[in-house]
Amino acid sequence: KSGLDPGGAWHAWGMACLKAGNLTSAREKFNRCLKPPMDLNQLNHGSRLVQDVIQYLESTVKPVLITDDDYFATLRELEATLRTRSLSLEVMCEGKIQHNSYYQECLFYLHSYGTNLAIISFYMRHDCMREALLHLLNKESPSEVFIEGIFIPSYENGKLHMLENLLETIDPGLESWGVYLIAACKYLQRKNYYHILYELQQFMKDHVRAAMTCIRFFTHGAKSYTELGGKQMWLLKIKDHLKVYLQEVSRSSGRKKMAFTFRKKMSATDVSRHINTVDLQMEVTKFLHQCESSGASQMTDSSLPTLFGNNNMKMDVACKVILEGKNIEEGFGIAFRVLQDFQLEATEVYSRVAKQLVKQQKYSEIQQLLKCVNESGVAAKNDGDNIILNCLNEFKNIPAEDLDNLIQDMDSDENKIQAYLLCNKLRSAYLVSVRQERARAVQLVQRVRQLADSSGDHVVTAICAQWL
């Protein structure tokens, strides 16, 4: 008569029927106020009214285990014990209570009015993980429901191994679970739970991704190669994963198609290349670890480069290896292999090293670097000259004697003249210029005269004028 919503009254009446133990009548009353959700896969446990019903039913039926202390139970506890037993409560070893009528009543309301997440969460609360997984599969629920309802509760309660065993029991190939497992991996990566991620990837036999996680374990948080030296076991694990993957690929190549659709794939060539990278990183780690331990290390870069980064980082590794040995020659061999294996721009790396040596005022080691470059067998004709020119472009204050020694080591007279002009050594530039073929010598001497004229060097201007 008053036009008020009768839903609240029906709900209260239904709850009263539940408390009185009249389950049939309660169903009838709740049918008038409870509605199924529009989307069964929404990430909540359904309406508050349904949750209240489930909460009451679950609080009514607690597993009861008889112990000697029951002789001292109060009358009220004894009465409660008898009442629950009369509902054919069966406490199983895992704590499951499927045979209890209140448990069945919960499932009735959940299946009629609850979401898939609510049903799955109910199963999980009552140690019915298998039922939760089967419900997820049968309803083809999205991966968010798996994460929220099954995966998170499993690892939070230390039941990840139980979950893995059940996934394998239901589908030994794990194909049915592929979407859910990949989603779980992404979730763990977002949360930075890399140890759980690694464990899951091993269970999935996803060896390529497991190897990638090992790379993170090796590189993350390390501030020195001494630290990386203590983490080399991860490099061995990377190799192990990649080798197992290669074996699996070769075994399955005879079959029509690999069944592992959700596991990361990689060509055998790429895997072999990665194994080679790991071997080289082990060599680099061992070498730089020794350098740091012996105190030979000079560089204090904040970032720690490894061969698992981009090409620029790999070039940093090559520079670091050349610079941190007892001398240039000691680390050059390893650095050269890095440059060759990753097809890096060698001249740029050598120029970086040379500039660093100038900063450290180790001019004689630049000459040693040039010797190693020339003896490597793959240097182009002007590589050594270009390395020196790159240095002179940046550093004008090299001591005269060291500067002359560097320029004298250059192969091409043209480059020597360019170097002298860069350093404003006009007399030396003139002396090399006049040794060239007559036509070219005229051009070069004219250029020297112009520079001498503009810089106010009257002596060199007069010499050039006289020669011309």
Side-chain angles (χ1 to χ4, degrees):
K1 285 180 181 178
S2 60
L4 296 173
D5 179 20
W10 286 116
H11 187 262
W13 197 350
M15 290 300 290
C17 291
L18 273 189
K19 288 170 185 175
N22 190 346
L23 303 182
T24 309
S25 184
R27 284 191 185 191
E28 183 193 330
K29 306 299 180 284
F30 285 129
N31 188 43
R32 294 173 180 270
C33 62
L34 299 179
K35 292 189 176 79
M38 297 289 287
D39 177 14
L40 289 173
N41 286 320
Q42 60 195 41
L43 288 179
N44 58 46
H45 290 76
S47 72
R48 184 70 254 173
L49 299 179
V50 177
Q51 290 179 54
D52 288 345
V53 172
I54 302 303
Q55 201 173 341
Y56 173 75
L57 287 168
E58 282 188 300
S59 66
T60 306
V61 54
K62 293 271 169 111
V64 180
L65 297 168
I66 296 297
T67 64
D68 292 340
D69 292 339
D70 280 300
Y71 291 116
F72 306 104
T74 62
L75 285 172
R76 190 182 292 117
E77 287 170 333
L78 186 58
E79 185 185 343
T81 304
L82 291 170
R83 182 160 53 82
T84 14
R85 284 222 191 101
S86 68
L87 294 167
S88 72
L89 174 65
E90 180 179 315
V91 181
M92 298 171 72
C93 55
E94 302 94 328
K96 293 182 180 177
I97 45 173
Q98 292 96 320
H99 293 193
N100 181 280
S101 57
Y102 274 49
Y103 175 92
Q104 296 302 330
E105 206 64 17
C106 284
L107 286 177
F108 167 77
Y109 285 107
L110 285 168
H111 282 287
S112 302
Y113 310 110
T115 60
N116 284 326
L117 181 58
I119 296 166
I120 285 168
S121 298
F122 175 80
Y123 281 134
M124 291 296 287
R125 279 198 302 279
H126 294 283
D127 292 327
C128 302
M129 194 185 283
R130 182 186 174 84
E131 288 77 1
L133 288 167
L134 291 172
H135 182 85
L136 180 87
L137 268 191
N138 292 336
K139 298 297 178 183
E140 296 180 350
S141 292
S143 51
E144 292 81 4
V145 174
F146 170 74
I147 301 290
E148 197 74 30
I150 298 175
F151 187 70
I152 294 175
S154 293
Y155 78 71
E156 283 184 348
N157 295 309
K159 294 182 177 177
L160 193 56
H161 284 299
M162 185 193 296
L163 172 62
E164 290 171 351
N165 289 337
L166 278 170
L167 292 174
E168 213 163 25
T169 304
I170 294 169
D171 178 4
L174 300 179
E175 285 303 311
S176 316
W177 308 114
V179 176
Y180 300 117
L181 289 169
I182 294 297
C185 289
K186 287 178 180 173
Y187 167 81
L188 292 169
Q189 199 164 359
R190 280 197 309 274
K191 289 284 188 179
N192 289 328
Y193 295 163
Y194 284 95
H195 287 280
I196 303 174
L197 172 65
Y198 182 53
E199 186 182 331
L200 188 62
Q201 287 168 336
Q202 288 180 93
F203 161 72
M204 292 160 64
K205 296 183 175 60
D206 194 347
H207 294 291
V208 174
R209 286 193 180 97
M212 290 159 74
T213 305
C214 290
I215 291 174
R216 189 191 183 277
F217 284 137
F218 174 70
T219 57
H220 185 68
K223 298 285 190 295
S224 68
Y225 261 88
T226 304
E227 282 182 49
L228 287 184
K231 296 168 85 174
Q232 287 190 77
M233 62 167 186
W234 291 112
L235 294 176
L236 295 171
K237 288 191 176 185
I238 297 168
K239 276 184 73 174
D240 289 342
H241 284 299
L242 294 176
K243 283 177 178 176
V244 170
Y245 177 78
L246 273 182
Q247 288 167 2
E248 287 183 355
V249 170
S250 62
R251 274 204 301 268
S252 62
S253 59
R255 302 170 202 160
K256 287 181 181 176
K257 192 182 178 184
M258 274 184 82
F260 308 140
T261 51
F262 65 90
R263 297 174 180 93
K264 189 169 180 64
K265 293 186 180 65
M266 193 178 278
S267 71
T269 311
D270 283 344
V271 175
S272 299
R273 193 162 43 80
H274 286 305
I275 290 173
N276 187 50
T277 300
V278 174
D279 284 334
L280 201 46
Q281 180 62 55
M282 288 176 88
E283 207 170 326
V284 166
T285 305
K286 188 178 174 186
F287 177 76
L288 291 176
H289 182 195
Q290 283 173 347
C291 292
E292 287 180 4
S293 302
S294 66
S297 177
Q298 298 286 329
M299 296 179 74
T300 53
D301 287 343
S302 53
S303 61
L304 193 67
T306 69
L307 298 177
F308 300 117
N310 57 23
N311 276 359
N312 204 42
M313 189 182 273
K314 292 183 178 93
M315 289 165 89
D316 288 343
V317 171
C319 291
K320 195 172 176 68
V321 168
I322 294 174
L323 286 164
E324 295 209 1
K326 289 196 216 67
N327 52 52
I328 294 299
E329 208 169 344
E330 189 182 27
F332 189 84
I334 298 173
F336 183 72
R337 279 178 51 208
V338 171
L339 297 175
Q340 291 291 295
D341 282 11
F342 299 106
Q343 298 180 334
L344 302 174
E345 190 56 56
T347 311
E348 189 183 333
V349 171
Y350 299 143
S351 294
R352 279 196 212 175
V353 171
K355 287 171 188 175
Q356 196 67 33
L357 290 170
V358 171
K359 279 183 186 174
Q360 295 170 9
Q361 299 184 342
K362 295 181 176 177
Y363 306 110
S364 61
E365 293 199 20
I366 297 176
Q367 291 171 294
Q368 195 180 7
L369 172 67
L370 296 174
K371 180 171 173 281
C372 289
V373 170
N374 290 329
E375 288 174 358
S376 67
V378 294
K381 186 182 177 186
N382 284 326
D383 276 0
D385 290 5
N386 289 333
I387 291 166
I388 294 172
L389 285 171
N390 284 334
C391 279
L392 299 181
N393 271 320
E394 279 195 37
F395 303 99
K396 312 295 184 195
N397 56 348
I398 298 172
E401 188 181 341
D402 295 305
L403 185 61
D404 281 334
N405 288 338
L406 284 175
I407 296 174
Q408 288 300 323
D409 278 345
M410 296 174 86
D411 293 322
S412 154
D413 280 350
E414 291 272 348
N415 289 332
K416 283 180 184 176
I417 294 164
Q418 191 182 338
Y420 282 130
L421 293 177
L422 269 173
C423 302
N424 212 29
K425 286 182 164 290
L426 302 179
R427 186 187 290 269
S428 299
Y430 164 77
L431 291 172
V432 180
S433 298
V434 296
R435 294 205 303 262
Q436 309 309 305
E437 289 179 20
R438 186 138 190 94
R440 181 63 182 145
V442 170
Q443 290 175 334
L444 292 167
V445 172
Q446 282 174 339
R447 189 174 162 208
V448 172
R449 186 174 72 167
Q450 283 173 352
L451 287 170
D453 206 26
S454 60
S455 66
D457 190 335
H458 303 303
V459 176
V460 175
T461 306
I463 295 171
C464 290
Q466 187 180 354
W467 186 86
L468 288 167

